[in-house]
Each structure stands twice: as C-alpha cells, then as structure tokens.
Amino acid sequence: MKIIMLGAPGAGKGTQAKKIAAKYQIPHISTGDIFRANIKNGTELGKKAKTYMDQGLLVPDELVCDLVVDRVQQADCEKGYILDGFPRTIPQAESLDKALAALGESVDYAVNVEVPDENIVKRMGGRRACVGCGATYHMEFAPTKKEGICDTCGAELILRDDDKPETVQKRLGVYHDQTQPLIEYYHKKGILRDVDGTMDMEEVFQAIVKILGA
Ligand code: AP5
Ligand code: MG
C-alpha cells in the first residue's frame, strides 16, 4: 500500500504516519525527518536545506525529488510505504507519479488531514521534539512522563527552530500557496480521502484505518 499524507504543518501527519507505518508494517518516509537528520550530521544536503527550513520556506524541488524517488525503490518499500511531507508541490507530485509509472506503479491513497489554521498555531507552540531520536511530543496533548525528557531515549526535548510563532505563520502561508493545490490534484485522480484532524489522535487514527481497510 502506497500512501501519501497531506495536511498543513502541524496537522498531525507525522503523528499518524508513525502509527500507520507500525500497523501496516511499511516504512514511514518523512522528508522533514530526513532533512533534520542531515542537519544534525552536518552533511552538504543538511546545510543547504537548513537555510530554507529556518525561514519556513520549502527546500527546492531538485533537492527533494531524487532523494524520495531513490528511497521508495529500496528493498524495504516493496510492500508499500507512507510518505509524510512529500509531495509538497505540484512538480514534486508529478515527479513521483512519473517515477512510479515507469515502474508500473501508482499511489493508492492521499490522506488529507484537515485542521484549521487557528488550531495549528496552538499545536506548534506546544510541540516538543527529542534532540536524540527525533520523537515528537506535545506539552498538553501528548506529554512525556518526565517533563522535558524523551520517554524513548532519555534525551532532552526542544522547541523546533521552525516552530516559533512567526515561522509557523510563514509555513502556513507557504502551505496554502504551494501545497494545498495538491488536494485538487489527488481529488482529480480519485484517491483523495479527507480526515478531520481536529479529533483526538486515536480518533484520527481510527478514521484513517477505516479508509485504508484493516
Ligand atoms: P516537516 O517536518 O514535514 O514539517 P511540516 O509539514 O511543517 O509538518 P510538521 O512536522 O510540523 O507537522 P505534522 O503534520 O507532522 O504534525 P505532528 O504530527 O508533528 O518539514 C519541515 C521543513 O522541511 C519544511 O518547512 C520544509 O522547509 C522542509 N521540507 C520537508 N519536506 C519538504 C518537501 N517535500 N519539499 C520541500 N521542503 C520540504 O503534530 C504536531 C503537534 O501536534 C505535535 O506536538 C503532536 O503531538 C500534536 N498533535 C498531533 N495530532 C494531534 C491531535 N489530533 N490533537 C492534538 N494534538 C495533536
Ligand atoms: Mg512532521
């Protein structure tokens, strides 16, 4: 099963993608996580991506497309995968479709997690990310057992640089301009499925499972 997660920054794509990947035993591929790992490791790609990410802008398509097209052809993707944060522009979607078509494949579902902008700003301010393993928490909606410490690896939690309120506003603007058109793109292909992302995390997950089938 090949699934795309669509939705504004902070809609809960990452939260849900992790749960879906675990349930269906398919890899969770997050371009944001890939870039953050590259930044942490000081790679050339990481250095380039950081200049855009810190400003709330999208990393240029040419730095993203080949990376994802290569990733989805690796052995662990044979039974499918869940893409989180890609595609984010029409050219990215076209490049994925073209690469899949060459393999005789196509995306099965584009799950669109809908959350109004007002809710997003509140969510992002409360999100905390682990500096060690990248796990995501929320001070109110998904707290850790011990404040400021990751439940999984024990490392420190931080507010992501791009989760500061002014950058969140910028990311929302970029989302509406460049990513929202993908909703129509996948609707036309007949694979768009909308989910109300304002429900609690477990309810959102159950709604997605219902769409994908057990
Ligand atoms: P990326 O990491 O993909 O960020 P994003 O799309 O802005 O989305 P987020 O990860 O911020 O939110 P999410 O939807 O995953 O929400 P989450 O589950 O964490 O990208 C970062 C940057 O990298 C981009 O700005 C861009 O520069 C670059 N980039 C990445 N991919 C790119 C691409 N393809 N092309 C170009 N550039 C690219 O949830 C948010 C918070 O809410 C959490 O704290 C969570 O605990 C909480 N929460 C989740 N669900 C619920 C719920 N139902 N109720 C209450 N709280 C909830
Ligand atoms: Mg995410």
Side-chain angles (χ1 to χ4, degrees), residues 46 61 78 95 118 128-129 177 183 214:
D61 290 341
E78 210 169 299
S95 121
E118 310 81 86
R128 292 295 178 273
D177 286 350
I183 294 174

Side-chain angles (χ1 to χ4, degrees), residues 7-16 30-33 35-36 49 52-54 56-61 64 68 84-89 92 123-124 126-128 136-139 141-142 160 162-163 171 197-202 204:
K13 301 181 296 295
T15 301
Q16 297 301 330
S30 156
T31 41
D33 287 352
F35 289 137
R36 281 184 288 277
Y52 298 95
M53 290 170 74
D54 283 353
L57 299 173
L58 294 184
V59 175
D61 290 341
V64 191
V68 175
D84 159 17
F86 182 95
R88 249 187 165 87
T89 62
Q92 289 183 16
R123 279 197 192 175
M124 306 299 253
R127 174 163 62 182
R128 292 295 178 273
T136 301
Y137 300 93
H138 193 283
M139 290 172 72
F141 307 122
R160 249 167 62 180
D162 59 348
D163 278 351
R171 284 162 66 199
T198 64
M199 302 183 290
D200 80 38
M201 292 173 203
E202 192 52 37
V204 178

Side-chain angles (χ1 to χ4, degrees), residues 143-154:
T144 47
K145 294 192 184 84
K146 201 170 160 201
E147 202 185 316
I149 303 292
C150 179
D151 287 347
T152 313
C153 75

